[in-house]
Amino acid sequence: MEGDGPAVRRRSRAASARKRSGDRAQSRGACYPPARKRPSSRAGEEPQPAPSTPEYNNDSEEDMFGDYDSFSGNDSLLAQVDNMEQECIQSIDLTSCTKNMEDEATVEPSFGYFQLQNAKSKELIFSAAGNITGFRTEEENHLRITSKQENWTLEPGDCFLDDLPSSQFLYFEEMNKTSVDSRKSSGTKENANDMNSCLDKMLNQSSCHHNAEHTKINNELSLSTMSNLNKRKSLKDHLKNTMTGNAKAQTPQVSRTKQLKEAVLSEEICAAKKTIETSSVDIGPFYGLPSKVKDLFVQFRGIEKLYGNSHYNFCLKNHSCLLLCYKWQHTCLTLESLQQRKNLIYSLPTSGGKTLVAEILILQELLCRQKDVLMVLPYVAIVQEKVWALSSFGIELGFLVEEYAGSKGRFPPIKRRKKKSLYIATIEKGHSLVNSLIETERVGDLGLVVVDELHMLGEGSRGAILEMILAKILYTSETTQIIGMSATLNNVGDLQQFLQAEYYTNNFRPVELKEYVKIQDSIYEVDNKAENGLTFSRLLNFKYSSNLQKMDPDHLIALVTEVIPNYSCLVFCPTKKNCENVAEMVCKYLNKEYKNHKENEKQELIKDLKNIGKGGLCPVLKGTIPFGIAYHHSGLTSDERKRIEEAYSTGVLCLLTCTSTLAAGVNLPARRVILRAPYVAREFLKKSQYKQMIGRAGRAGIDSAGESILIVQEKDKHLVRDLVNSPLENCYSNLFLEFTKGIQSLLLSLVGLKIARTPEEIYHFMCGTLFGVQQQFLSKEKSLSAITREALGCLIEKGLLKGKMTSEKEQKSQSNLEITQLGQATYKGSIDLAYCDALYRDLKKGLEGLVLESCLHLLYLTTPYDMTYHCRPDWMIYFRQFSQLNSVEQKVAAIVGVPESFITKKASGQAIKKDVDNCVINRLYLSFVLYALLKETNIWNVSEKFNMSRGYVQNLLNSAASFSSCVLHFCEELEEFWVYKALLTELTKRLTYCVKAELIPLMEVAGVLESRAKQLYDSGYKTLAHLANADPETLVKMIEHLSRRQARQIVSSAKMLLREKAEALQEEVEELLKVPTDISEGLLTTLP
């Protein structure tokens, strides 16, 4: 490279310093005194002039002007600037004469130290407030034109490049080489735009966006100056103004080293963004993401790399399992379809690592493409868990994580100007969110939608709502990418056609799964190659007494004792009651030695459960926990389930008897999974349910294999053979089957959102749904057009739409359909169309005599209609609770239509001649339960008082909070119900948390339930700000049974929530101060 241009060589810092010192002495001497004085960096050396390059590793707070009182105290610098300005003007005139203003010269590539060597004649850099505000002389380019080009040698020690990682250094070296090659080929013309822009970004130490703004300002100043040389201010004035502004600015105590790291991160994000936008094979340091993301995966998840030489591998680091993830993930992330931003469906067995791929794609969208992301998950608990997990990434990488579950979430979401948002939502809340984005014409801000458990498209009303979400996004946004993942998909072709997606699948599983079927005392292995699908494996070797044989005919004790207590085991039971019975039965015949295993931890668990129950503890759990056994089903409260899950994950509990809901919820793997019977309640097991349950067998990094054993009776043998050897069930649309929650609700929102206004447009939309793809299988009697027109006719008949439905031949000539006020309120409130008329009547009737002396009347209006069908009142309890009401509260019962005489006769068993609506009776009974909850805030006491399970009472509370939020949005659209707005806002908040007022700020944090909130409050963490600024290590010491991982997640979630609230307030302030765009210019000048 000699003689050709700048060379990049590595040298010692000392040698570089000596060379710089000599060069400066020869070129400048003492003519340029420094702006501030600094001591020599090494003892024994003579003081040297301060380098013009900013010292990035300096963390001190020196005075800006050194020993001078102000910048005016040293005139030499400003005088030199004036001289330089005059010389530049002469140089410009000379260049104009010789070249006749025809040739356009370009700049010699300048880089690193040699660009800054003549800083006084090229660039003046001053730093303030942690950022570098650069004022660049307008004559700079012309001085470079007339000056003789020299060959420079870059010394790594001369600037901050030594502190960069080697990958970044090589990047600069490659850019330098490119510029040299360009000079060789072009002769006299040179181009260093790429090099200079890259260095400028690093010097400015700011994000890409802030850097762009500063560059724009400087460019505009430079252009206007060059075009008006005679009118412009002098360079000296500019310099004075800049230095004055910098001197007044407050300088925060921010480490320059930290600033440099942030600059490197910003540079990598910009590079990754450019890479992601192309379909290049080389996608950067970590799948198009900055290297910091990889570090965060190591820190938060223990994930070090995405694959090794084999399909999977594990290692131990610091005595904990550090996962080296799987080859299929790398293959999936590098698919050409993803690079081209095509929609994608991918399917792998349970525990295959699907979530990690989705998270990397989410981070690419948020950081590289700067778009919002929606993640749709099936259950509230999983939403909260994911908010917990990703809040830490959001804090470190600068994006927001917003929870949309239950009654939480803003509609429409706040439009962020600076930061991007990750919305994590349940299916129902995700639908409302998408509707609000379409209505405000912001659906284009949504760059990516990720759907977990995509097979739920085929599951009832929730599947219908999920289909609506995806269909609307496909129809309204061409730029939004959809990613769907599932472990149980069969008819993928239909889903591909619906989502216009590519498909990727792999049979990889990190731990081998062996499936067995037990018939009497024989165990058979599932073998697809065998004639009947089963191959004999072994006989059970366990000595049973005659008494034990009667109590345990299915040999459960033999099966579980082969595993526990050293390994974990799950036993899936058909019903909740069966879970409790099996747990008690196993404990009854276990050896007492099982109590010695982690005895102290078990006693702590019992103590915690008592605190959660405020003194109450289930007698079944009290007897089974000492043996390391517990049951897990919806009859437990959220706090109880969470604590039991934690105990199981840490090995305190070794056996859980559970229902099928555990398989679809949180991930609790086991060495062995036992299916007590091939039934869920009274229905025979589906293949997808079976796969989900047995998928919990085998813990990655702990077990070498997992086992599943299905216990079968002789009568079910043939059904089980078909089950284990049959393919997965097909996924079919539920839009037609769920008529009011499905197709009618969809069509109403299409008209309300103005997505489609005529029957023809609506039919065109319906053709793009999953129902449209599968219509020939789902409804052979009627065409899609006929079904659509029938649904529209029902909506017009109910008064939700306005318009006339003519014959199919006259369809094109008919006018647009319009939504009524009631229809608008119904779809915005996400009210089931089956209940919208009843809700309107109840609210209207409530206005005639709303009782506000207590909240009982409001509670009745917000009690969910769909829960009344499963309610069976205990009439003695009903009568007892009614008798305890005061006269005003009893008046509420009379207003809604339940007279005292009716309850009295029912309780005494007398015949009733007068008919009373059962829905009203049951709804009032449930409102009594909610009323007791708000007064006592103790689920245990209320469940005993009404003879209900704790889980049912809590589910009622959660459903009421969600429905109250829906009713609030319903009332906001109808002016006549204005009085309900303020009342329901407060009621919704009380139902959401149902705790003492002081605990509500803490319970707003995702994953913090009542028991944990009380612990935090008692330890002095009384506000969200306290929690956001807490030290995780201190939390671990002060809060019992809180792991470091949980402490970090709680603090991260609190920081995220606090940041989200602060951002929302800032956005509101900026919106208020924004100058109106529709006001005339004359009026603007008169405003103060």
Side-chain angles (χ1 to χ4, degrees):
M1 294 178 61
E2 247 180 75
D4 293 330
V8 181
R9 295 185 288 113
R10 289 193 177 274
R11 275 191 179 183
S12 66
R13 189 176 295 273
S16 301
R18 288 193 296 271
K19 185 180 185 302
R20 286 200 305 273
S21 177
D23 289 344
R24 282 196 295 271
Q26 294 173 11
S27 61
R28 293 186 299 173
C31 63
Y32 290 171
R36 53 177 165 178
K37 299 179 179 179
R38 296 182 184 275
S40 175
S41 59
R42 289 178 294 276
E45 291 189 11
E46 295 181 3
Q48 298 177 359
S52 59
T53 309
E55 297 185 21
Y56 287 94
N57 58 352
N58 180 24
D59 296 331
S60 64
E61 295 185 9
E62 294 186 52
D63 184 81
M64 177 177 173
F65 304 108
D67 294 339
Y68 301 106
D69 293 333
S70 70
F71 62 81
S72 60
N74 180 23
D75 294 334
S76 60
L77 177 60
L78 299 179
Q80 293 155 17
V81 169
D82 277 340
N83 292 337
M84 182 181 65
E85 190 176 18
Q86 296 300 323
E87 292 172 3
C88 179
I89 294 173
Q90 295 174 9
S91 175
I92 293 171
D93 293 338
L94 179 61
T95 304
S96 302
C97 295
T98 56
K99 300 209 173 199
N100 297 321
M101 304 299 289
E102 292 177 355
D103 296 328
E104 207 178 77
T106 54
V107 192
E108 171 74 11
S110 57
F111 176 58
Y113 171 72
F114 56 82
Q115 180 181 356
L116 299 173
Q117 187 78 17
N118 295 328
K120 292 296 186 290
S121 62
K122 292 186 177 182
E123 187 170 324
L124 298 169
I125 301 175
F126 300 91
S127 64
N131 297 318
I132 296 179
T133 304
F135 180 78
R136 189 171 293 176
T137 63
E138 290 82 357
E139 296 81 15
E140 177 180 354
N141 291 336
H142 298 280
L143 287 174
R144 288 177 179 173
I145 294 171
T146 57
S147 64
K148 182 180 179 180
Q149 305 297 333
E150 297 179 4
N151 293 331
W152 299 89
T153 300
L154 175 66
E155 304 294 346
D158 294 349
C159 63
F160 59 84
L161 292 178
D162 279 336
D163 296 328
L164 293 179
S166 58
S167 61
Q168 198 77 10
F169 183 88
L170 291 174
Y171 170 74
F172 278 91
E173 186 177 10
E174 184 66 26
M175 292 298 294
N176 178 43
K177 182 180 178 182
T178 303
S179 67
V180 173
D181 294 341
S182 176
R183 180 162 22 146
K184 285 182 178 180
S185 61
S186 60
T188 57
K189 292 190 177 183
E190 317 248 349
N191 186 356
N193 291 337
D194 291 339
M195 190 83 69
N196 288 331
S197 64
C198 188
L199 182 60
D200 287 341
K201 289 177 184 175
M202 300 299 296
L203 289 175
N204 285 336
Q205 302 181 24
S206 61
S207 68
C208 300
H209 302 295
H210 293 155
N211 190 18
E213 291 175 6
H214 287 301
T215 305
K216 182 178 178 182
I217 293 171
N218 288 334
N219 288 343
E220 290 175 355
L221 179 61
S222 179
L223 288 172
S224 61
T225 304
M226 294 305 297
S227 62
N228 300 285
L229 285 173
N230 296 328
K231 297 181 180 180
R232 65 175 174 80
K233 291 183 178 181
S234 70
L235 179 61
K236 181 176 179 179
D237 292 334
H238 280 305
L239 182 59
K240 283 184 177 180
N241 292 337
T242 302
M243 295 178 70
T244 303
N246 290 340
K248 291 179 180 180
Q250 296 180 355
T251 305
Q253 299 181 6
V254 180
S255 167
R256 294 297 179 87
T257 304
K258 182 179 179 181
Q259 292 174 353
L260 179 58
K261 288 180 179 179
E262 291 175 354
V264 173
L265 175 61
S266 298
E267 181 69 21
E268 287 188 343
I269 289 177
C270 290
K273 181 178 179 181
K274 292 178 181 178
T275 305
I276 287 289
E277 287 172 352
T278 67
S279 58
S280 173
V281 176
D282 183 10
I283 55 175
F286 189 71
Y287 298 94
L289 291 165
S291 55
K292 184 175 181 180
V293 175
K294 180 180 177 181
D295 298 337
L296 293 177
F297 273 110
V298 174
Q299 180 182 348
F300 298 141
R301 306 285 178 80
I303 298 173
E304 189 163 307
K305 63 179 180 179
L306 281 190
Y307 74 102
N309 295 326
S310 59
H311 278 289
Y312 60 91
N313 193 11
F314 298 96
C315 70
L316 291 177
K317 186 174 181 180
N318 298 329
H319 305 289
S320 62
C321 182
L322 180 64
L323 181 61
L324 306 184
C325 289
Y326 316 123
K327 186 174 181 179
W328 80 262
Q329 294 170 326
H330 173 78
T331 303
C332 185
L333 285 167
T334 54
L335 289 173
E336 189 69 22
S337 56
L338 281 181
Q339 306 308 311
Q340 296 174 0
R341 289 191 58 76
K342 293 181 180 179
N343 297 339
L344 177 70
I345 300 170
Y346 64 99
S347 176
L348 282 97
T350 304
S351 303
K354 297 183 293 296
T355 303
L356 177 60
V357 171
E359 289 178 351
I360 291 175
L361 294 174
I362 286 170
L363 293 176
Q364 286 178 350
E365 198 68 33
L366 290 166
L367 300 179
C368 302
R369 298 189 182 94
Q370 292 291 305
K371 289 281 191 177
D372 295 330
V373 176
L374 169 62
M375 188 175 196
V376 181
L377 301 170
Y379 304 111
V380 174
I382 302 179
V383 168
Q384 293 176 340
E385 187 178 306
K386 189 59 65 177
V387 170
W388 261 44
L390 293 178
S391 289
S392 301
F393 287 86
I395 293 295
E396 294 291 335
L397 299 173
F399 61 87
L400 299 174
V401 180
E402 302 185 38
E403 179 182 349
Y404 281 77
S407 59
K408 294 183 179 180
R410 298 171 183 259
F411 301 104
I414 296 174
K415 184 175 177 61
R416 315 284 182 180
R417 289 182 174 85
K418 298 176 182 177
K419 294 187 177 179
K420 298 304 171 184
S421 293
L422 168 59
Y423 310 114
I424 303 180
T426 57
I427 294 173
E428 294 78 9
K429 286 295 181 179
H431 185 219
S432 298
L433 177 64
V434 169
N435 282 344
S436 66
L437 290 174
I438 293 173
E439 184 179 21
T440 54
E441 298 180 350
R442 289 167 49 195
V443 70
D445 295 343
L446 210 56
L448 177 67
V449 174
V450 175
V451 179
D452 195 8
E453 309 295 352
L454 186 64
H455 62 269
M456 290 198 72
L457 279 167
E459 296 186 11
S461 60
R462 305 192 78 216
I465 296 172
L466 181 57
E467 183 176 346
M468 293 182 212
I469 295 174
L470 299 174
K472 288 176 181 177
I473 290 171
L474 287 167
Y475 194 85
T476 58
S477 177
E478 296 180 354
T479 59
T480 304
Q481 186 181 23
I482 296 175
I483 304 293
M485 52 182 170
S486 175
T488 54
L489 288 178
N490 189 30
N491 56 330
V492 179
D494 290 349
L495 300 180
Q496 280 187 266
Q497 187 177 346
F498 165 45
L499 295 177
Q500 304 160 30
E502 301 290 322
Y503 179 57
Y504 176 84
T505 186
N506 195 305
N507 292 325
F508 168 75
R509 202 176 188 276
V511 178
E512 182 186 3
L513 174 62
K514 296 180 180 180
E515 299 178 43
Y516 298 96
V517 173
K518 176 191 164 297
I519 304 174
Q520 294 181 352
D521 60 349
S522 299
I523 296 180
Y524 300 86
E525 185 174 359
V526 175
D527 184 3
N528 295 328
K529 298 179 181 178
E531 185 176 350
N532 60 359
L534 300 174
T535 303
F536 177 78
S537 177
R538 65 186 175 95
L539 287 172
L540 275 177
N541 184 20
F542 190 86
K543 295 181 180 180
Y544 268 77
S545 65
S546 58
N547 185 36
L548 182 57
Q549 183 68 36
K550 292 179 182 178
M551 294 297 298
D552 183 24
D554 295 325
H555 307 100
L556 271 173
I557 295 174
L559 293 174
V560 300
T561 52
E562 289 178 345
V563 178
I564 64 171
N566 296 324
Y567 298 99
S568 57
C569 182
L570 294 175
V571 179
F572 285 99
C573 303
T575 65
K576 290 183 285 187
K577 188 63 179 175
N578 192 232
C579 289
E580 299 176 26
N581 293 338
V582 168
E584 286 185 303
M585 185 269 294
V586 172
C587 291
K588 187 175 181 179
Y589 293 97
L590 279 182
N591 193 305
K592 302 301 179 184
E593 293 178 358
Y594 282 88
K595 288 186 174 182
N596 299 330
H597 183 74
K598 297 191 175 183
E599 184 177 3
N600 293 334
E601 290 89 341
K602 293 171 185 174
Q603 293 303 317
E604 289 294 331
L605 174 58
I606 291 174
K607 181 182 175 182
D608 287 349
L609 291 173
K610 282 184 177 179
N611 291 334
I612 291 171
K614 298 181 180 179
L617 177 63
C618 171
V620 176
L621 291 176
K622 186 178 180 179
T624 61
I625 288 177
F627 289 92
I629 299 173
Y631 66 85
H632 184 289
H633 56 60
S634 61
L636 297 169
T637 65
S638 299
D639 280 355
E640 289 172 326
R641 285 200 300 270
K642 194 172 186 66
R643 186 65 187 91
I644 288 173
E645 289 163 6
E646 290 172 1
Y648 177 81
S649 298
T650 55
V652 177
L653 297 175
C654 56
L655 173 64
L656 290 184
T657 58
C658 51
T659 55
S660 60
T661 53
L662 181 69
V666 293
N667 186 17
L668 295 176
R671 175 67 173 268
R672 176 175 289 179
V673 170
I674 300 172
L675 281 67
R676 173 74 175 76
Y679 290 91
V680 174
R682 296 181 179 180
E683 295 183 4
F684 194 78
L685 204 61
K686 295 179 182 178
K687 183 61 178 281
S688 59
Q689 293 172 325
Y690 171 73
K691 282 292 186 182
Q692 282 188 322
M693 291 180 190
I694 67 172
R696 297 301 181 201
R699 296 171 297 174
I702 299 175
D703 299 326
S704 58
E707 299 175 341
S708 71
I709 301 175
L710 173 58
I711 299 175
V712 181
Q713 306 300 323
E714 282 289 341
K715 64 183 181 67
D716 296 324
K717 190 190 301 184
H718 65 288
L719 294 174
V720 169
R721 283 200 185 102
D722 294 338
L723 172 69
V724 296
N725 293 296
S726 65
L728 290 163
E729 294 86 7
N730 287 336
C731 179
Y732 290 118
S733 170
N734 279 270
L735 278 182
F736 184 63
L737 296 176
E738 299 288 336
F739 204 59
T740 57
K741 287 185 178 180
I743 190 169
Q744 285 190 11
S745 179
L746 173 60
L747 300 189
L748 179 66
S749 63
L750 291 181
V751 177
L753 294 169
K754 300 179 182 178
I755 296 174
R757 302 292 296 276
T758 66
E760 184 179 12
E761 292 174 347
I762 292 172
Y763 171 75
H764 182 259
F765 178 94
M766 289 299 299
C767 289
T769 63
L770 181 61
F771 177 65
V773 172
Q774 298 176 333
Q775 189 270 329
Q776 56 180 334
F777 302 106
L778 300 178
S779 179
K780 297 180 180 179
E781 299 177 356
K782 297 180 181 178
S783 66
L784 180 60
S785 176
I787 293 171
T788 302
R789 295 175 64 79
E790 181 183 341
L792 289 172
C794 292
L795 294 173
I796 294 173
E797 187 178 340
K798 289 181 178 180
L800 302 175
L801 289 180
K802 291 188 295 185
K804 292 183 179 180
M805 291 300 298
T806 56
S807 63
E808 198 165 342
K809 294 180 180 179
E810 301 171 333
Q811 182 173 324
K812 293 184 180 180
S813 62
Q814 71 177 34
S815 60
N816 290 345
L817 295 169
E818 294 182 5
I819 194 167
T820 63
Q821 283 190 327
L822 179 60
Q824 186 89 353
T826 300
Y827 98 79
K828 283 203 170 183
S830 300
I831 305 295
D832 187 344
L833 271 60
Y835 308 126
C836 63
D837 288 336
L839 177 61
Y840 180 82
R841 287 195 304 268
D842 288 341
L843 292 171
K844 189 76 173 176
K845 188 176 181 181
L847 291 177
E848 299 173 2
L850 188 62
V851 178
L852 295 177
E853 293 186 29
S854 74
C855 62
L856 180 60
H857 200 170
L858 282 175
L859 284 172
Y860 173 81
L861 294 174
T862 56
T863 300
Y865 290 95
D866 54 356
M867 294 200 71
T868 61
Y869 297 107
H870 307 289
C871 177
R872 298 291 182 267
D874 184 316
W875 292 106
M876 287 303 299
I877 296 175
Y878 206 149
F879 177 74
R880 192 183 306 122
Q881 293 299 316
F882 185 89
S883 302
Q884 293 175 1
L885 300 176
N886 59 38
S887 58
V888 175
E889 293 167 341
Q890 288 182 358
K891 183 182 176 182
V892 174
I895 291 173
V896 301
V898 182
E900 181 180 1
S901 59
F902 176 84
I903 299 174
T904 304
K905 290 180 179 179
K906 274 288 190 180
S908 61
Q910 299 180 31
I912 304 295
K913 296 181 180 180
K914 184 179 179 181
D915 291 333
V916 180
D917 189 348
N918 282 333
C919 180
V920 175
I921 295 168
N922 295 347
R923 202 169 179 223
L924 181 64
Y925 186 69
L926 293 177
S927 66
F928 283 175
V929 178
L930 293 171
Y931 190 43
L933 271 173
L934 290 187
K935 287 195 296 185
E936 297 188 29
T937 68
N938 189 327
I939 291 178
W940 264 86
N941 292 345
V942 173
S943 63
E944 290 177 359
K945 187 179 293 184
F946 287 87
N947 195 25
M948 295 176 171
S949 70
R950 303 181 301 282
Y952 179 84
V953 172
Q954 189 172 58
N955 184 42
L956 171 64
L957 181 64
N958 294 336
S959 298
S962 182
F963 187 65
S964 178
S965 176
C966 293
V967 175
L968 173 59
H969 292 303
F970 181 87
C971 293
E972 285 174 344
E973 299 300 320
L974 297 171
E975 187 63 31
E976 58 190 304
F977 294 148
W978 64 270
V979 70
Y980 288 113
K981 296 177 186 178
L983 298 172
L984 291 175
T985 300
E986 184 60 29
L987 181 66
T988 301
K989 190 173 182 180
R990 291 183 64 187
L991 288 170
T992 300
Y993 302 107
C994 194
V995 293
K996 294 179 180 179
E998 62 263 23
L999 297 181
I1000 290 178
L1002 299 177
M1003 289 189 65
E1004 288 180 343
V1005 179
V1008 176
L1009 302 176
E1010 182 181 0
S1011 60
R1012 186 71 77 198
K1014 193 173 186 305
Q1015 282 181 309
L1016 292 167
Y1017 189 87
D1018 292 341
S1019 300
Y1021 300 97
K1022 300 181 184 298
T1023 66
L1024 181 61
H1026 288 162
L1027 203 52
N1029 291 281
D1031 178 23
E1033 293 298 326
T1034 306
L1035 277 180
V1036 171
K1037 294 176 183 177
M1038 298 184 67
I1039 307 298
E1040 291 184 352
H1041 311 298
L1042 183 68
S1043 66
R1044 282 179 172 79
R1045 174 178 170 271
Q1046 291 170 331
R1048 286 195 298 266
Q1049 287 181 328
I1050 286 175
V1051 173
S1052 295
S1053 297
K1055 284 181 178 179
M1056 178 57 66
L1057 183 59
L1058 192 64
R1059 184 174 293 184
E1060 180 190 334
K1061 290 187 174 185
E1063 292 277 345
L1065 291 174
Q1066 290 174 0
E1067 296 285 349
E1068 188 175 347
V1069 169
E1070 289 183 15
E1071 189 64 29
L1072 287 172
L1073 297 178
K1074 187 178 177 182
V1075 178
T1077 57
D1078 57 347
I1079 191 170
S1080 64
E1081 190 174 341
L1083 290 175
L1084 284 175
T1085 58
T1086 62
L1087 293 175

